[in-house]
Amino acid sequence: MTDLILSLDVTDRSEALRIAAAVAPEADAIKVGYPLVLAAGLGIAHDLAELGLPLIADFKVADIPNTNTLICEQVFAAGFSAVIAQGFPGPDSVLACVDAARAAGGECYVVAEMSHPGARTFFSEGVPERLCAIVAETGADGIIAPATRPERVRALREQVGTKKILSPGIGAQGGDPAAIAALVDGMIVGRSIYGAEDPAAAARAYAPYRR
Ligand code: U5P
């Protein structure tokens, strides 16, 4: 299965709810990050949860273990079903997120390599592979890997085996769903869906790549 994950980076509450409701029948999960939560409040998660799709909190949690625990407890109490953490703070920080996810019956994903051009500065020279080792060590559910570089996703698949790969960078950042869908478990798509005149139709265009 390759899921379609709507990245709902909209900063108006009612527009976010309207787009989410329209796209929900065409999507498998909704990812929410700082843009929407800072604009509309964490309570937006409860409203979105009513659509019945898994909700992923893209807060790229990256602090000491105790702070990560406190952040993730808030995330899951708000109604999210998964959280995204950074791996560079180290295994104990990631484990805090994994433990909080488990306590809530949720999931934790770790950023292994980012999708934008500048990511190459630090997500290089074996670092993504070391981050995948932290995923294995902590029992996290999977990684975030760049749809803009399918060859890197292929290499990281070797590292994570059957753990899930969720992949942003499709559409607005230039990633091609035809090149990435078969390599990953989830395609994360933001602007090319929520920025379209008809977001539901834009989401439907990804249907051939949902398996
Ligand atoms: N995201 C990336 N690349 C990463 C990690 C996360 O694009 O390496 C997030 C962005 O913050 C955004 C979404 O929320 O995925 C992609 O949106 P878009 O480029 O499809 O609009």
Side-chain angles (χ1 to χ4, degrees):
M1 278 294 289
T2 305
D3 288 344
L4 177 63
I5 302 166
L6 169 65
S7 184
L8 193 57
D9 300 317
V10 172
T11 53
D12 179 85
R13 186 178 182 280
S14 54
E15 194 191 350
L17 292 174
R18 180 181 59 76
I19 291 171
V23 172
E26 322 296 337
D28 303 288
I30 298 174
K31 180 178 82 67
V32 172
Y34 295 113
L36 179 55
V37 165
L38 292 176
L42 193 56
I44 191 79
H46 273 300
D47 298 320
L48 291 170
E50 282 175 20
L51 296 170
L53 293 179
L55 272 189
I56 303 169
D58 184 1
F59 294 151
K60 298 187 183 70
V61 183
D63 215 310
I64 62 167
N66 184 64
T67 307
N68 278 4
T69 300
L70 295 172
I71 293 169
C72 290
E73 284 173 355
Q74 294 301 314
V75 162
F76 289 106
F80 285 98
S81 45
V83 70
I84 296 175
Q86 291 283 15
F88 58 73
D92 49 351
S93 290
V94 172
L95 187 59
C97 298
V98 173
D99 285 345
R102 293 291 173 264
E107 293 183 318
C108 175
Y109 293 88
V110 176
V111 178
E113 184 169 331
M114 295 187 74
S115 59
H116 58 304
R120 290 203 142 125
T121 308
F122 291 111
F123 289 99
S124 61
E125 294 173 24
V127 169
E129 285 76 5
R130 289 171 66 189
L131 292 168
C132 289
I134 289 178
V135 168
E137 180 183 338
T138 58
D141 296 276
I143 61 167
I144 307 300
T148 47
R149 290 180 218 108
E151 75 287 357
R152 290 295 303 148
V153 174
R154 237 177 248 114
L156 294 176
R157 173 59 79 194
E158 297 286 310
Q159 303 290 316
V160 297
T162 57
K163 286 191 188 282
K164 289 192 208 165
I165 300 181
L166 309 185
S167 194
I170 294 165
Q173 296 178 52
D176 176 4
I180 205 76
L183 305 175
V184 301
D185 302 278
M187 302 175 282
I188 297 173
V189 183
R191 285 165 287 179
S192 83
I193 293 178
Y194 71 71
E197 201 158 308
D198 182 345
R204 262 194 302 279
Y206 288 93
Y209 308 107
R210 280 168 85 193
R211 289 176 295 120

